[in-house]
Amino acid sequence: MRTAALTDVEEFEIRERERPTPEPDEVLVEVRDVGICGSDVHYFEHGRIGDYVVDYPLVLGHESAGVVAEVGDDVDELAPGDRVTLEPGVPCRHCAHCKRGDYHLCEDVVFMATPPHDGAFAEHVAWPADFAYELPDSVSTREGALCEPLSVGIHACRRGNVGVGDTVLVTGAGPIGLLVAEAARAAGATDVLVTDVVAEKLAFAEEGGVDRAIDVTEEDLATVVDEYTDGVGADVVVEASGAEPSIRSTLDGVRRGGTVVFVGLASEAEVPLDVVEIIDNELDVHGSFRYANTYDAAVDLLADDEVDVERIIDFESPLEDVDAAFRRSMEPEVVKGMITFDG
């Protein structure tokens, strides 16, 4: 089978590998669509993310969906021909985190495209059936692949306890920020505000139905939020950019007694925040790491047309053009690129 292997910084090679054979509890999936995530681009550009260092070659891609080609001997719930989306993180299932249901916090998780584990830029992937979710006929594999970033948005909204009638401020109009906005609306938020520094992304967010797009290079965030909420502030602020100014600005937009959720990864691990302000305003501050128990909800939201993930796709490229696709994904105005295999 063909794979796209990262062989050095900013260097892919199309390589042939032996097609995997599914274990008894696995399915073999013929991959159809894979999203290009920001983490993939970071590995492409820098060869590492924090302590995760690429040991070349590495197959990237963790936002994937396809068609079941084979099933292991112990798999009953899926059959060849079923269309599935793959949850890319498989935990140990035995540690304290897994047993309490927080399997995304498992320290022994195998996560696609995170060194040393290969991802889904391959024609076939063998994966545990427990983490393969069948797609209804109304949901495309393109949408199915984007259950992964949508799950990030769902989990962030759950961490922030977003509910009916809430005003939610999302900092960052990249793919995660846009899907946080979609998830917030699906959770019942009546007002969703989004910030960014790229005019094209803000216009795109407005086209998608956000109530207010804020260009923080031209407008003062605190002033805009204060005017929009009649001096109250947002019930929940979700920081989805990872940019240090946006991280600091979260306290400017949240109401007293409100909630701040950090999901965007900053380039620097330490960003100063006013602890006195957090205490005085009795803010709830949460981190949001990946997701857990979200894929069923993501599929249901797509099947019910409650969210629109396909609109964030700017372009699709075949596997052979993966290098050019990654370079295009690095352009500031691009939201999401996809690698698409011939069906």
Side-chain angles (χ1 to χ4, degrees):
M1 67 174 186
R2 294 175 304 152
T3 68
L6 188 66
T7 56
D8 205 337
V9 173
E10 296 193 10
E11 187 174 301
F12 277 107
E13 288 184 13
I14 303 300
R15 293 187 171 186
E16 291 287 334
R17 290 190 183 182
E18 185 176 348
R19 192 172 94 168
T21 300
E23 297 292 332
D25 65 341
E26 292 182 334
V27 291
L28 181 69
V29 175
E30 181 183 343
V31 178
R32 291 289 174 81
D33 295 284
V34 188
I36 299 173
C37 177
S39 64
D40 294 320
V41 175
H42 199 90
Y43 282 127
F44 176 71
E45 284 190 272
H46 305 288
R48 67 184 300 158
I49 296 178
D51 294 334
Y52 294 102
V53 181
V54 175
D55 183 13
Y56 300 104
L58 180 71
V59 176
L60 294 177
H62 61 264
E63 303 173 0
S64 65
V67 179
V68 175
E70 297 179 32
V71 299
D73 292 340
D74 296 339
V75 176
D76 297 321
E77 64 272 23
L78 293 169
D82 288 342
R83 298 157 58 258
V84 294
T85 175
L86 300 181
E87 183 173 355
V90 178
C92 76
R93 299 178 171 91
H94 306 298
C95 69
H97 300 300
C98 288
K99 288 182 177 180
R100 73 167 64 97
D102 297 329
Y103 63 85
H104 61 308
L105 301 180
C106 173
E107 295 182 4
D108 293 319
V109 66
V110 173
F111 202 90
M112 282 185 183
T114 299
H117 308 294
D118 283 329
F121 288 148
E123 290 183 308
H124 290 85
V125 170
W127 205 246
D130 285 354
F131 292 87
Y133 299 80
E134 187 172 2
L135 298 173
D137 291 341
S138 61
V139 178
S140 68
T141 53
R142 295 169 74 211
E143 293 173 294
L146 297 184
C147 281
E148 201 279 338
L150 177 58
S151 285
V152 175
I154 292 169
H155 187 68
C157 286
R158 287 177 176 175
R159 292 287 287 158
N161 198 28
V162 175
V164 175
D166 279 349
T167 295
V168 176
L169 170 65
V170 183
T171 55
I176 297 302
L178 293 171
L179 294 182
V180 167
E182 293 265 6
R185 188 77 78 188
T190 52
D191 292 274
V192 179
L193 295 74
V194 174
T195 74
D196 208 279
V197 297
V198 180
E200 292 87 348
K201 288 183 176 179
L202 290 168
F204 185 73
E206 285 189 317
E207 291 168 7
V210 303
D211 297 286
R212 183 72 159 81
I214 306 166
D215 186 338
V216 290
T217 67
E218 296 184 356
E219 297 182 280
D220 179 71
L221 177 63
T223 300
V224 173
V225 174
D226 191 64
E227 292 175 351
Y228 190 91
T229 62
D230 295 326
V232 176
D235 298 292
V236 182
V237 177
V238 180
E239 205 304 294
S241 73
E244 184 175 336
S246 288
I247 293 171
R248 291 198 305 267
S249 75
T250 55
L251 303 187
D252 297 330
V254 67
R255 68 168 171 82
R256 299 196 76 190
T259 302
V260 176
V261 180
F262 292 110
V263 62
L265 293 175
S267 57
E268 297 293 334
E270 297 181 8
V271 177
L273 289 175
D274 189 334
V275 177
V276 173
E277 188 172 351
I278 293 172
I279 295 169
D280 184 63
N281 289 311
E282 201 171 69
L283 302 178
D284 292 328
V285 179
H286 299 281
S288 184
F289 180 66
R290 293 176 179 162
Y291 39 77
N293 305 301
T294 56
Y295 261 65
D296 283 328
V299 173
D300 286 344
L301 287 173
L302 291 169
D304 293 341
D305 290 327
E306 292 294 327
V307 298
D308 183 358
V309 296
E310 282 190 298
R311 69 178 299 272
I312 74 169
I313 301 171
D314 289 297
F315 68 91
E316 297 173 276
S317 295
L319 188 68
E320 290 77 10
D321 295 338
V322 62
D323 188 272
F326 266 66
R327 295 184 189 282
R328 185 173 176 186
S329 295
M330 293 162 62
E331 297 172 4
E333 67 275 8
V334 170
V335 177
K336 173 66 67 176
M338 299 282 290
I339 298 298
T340 299
F341 294 75
D342 294 332

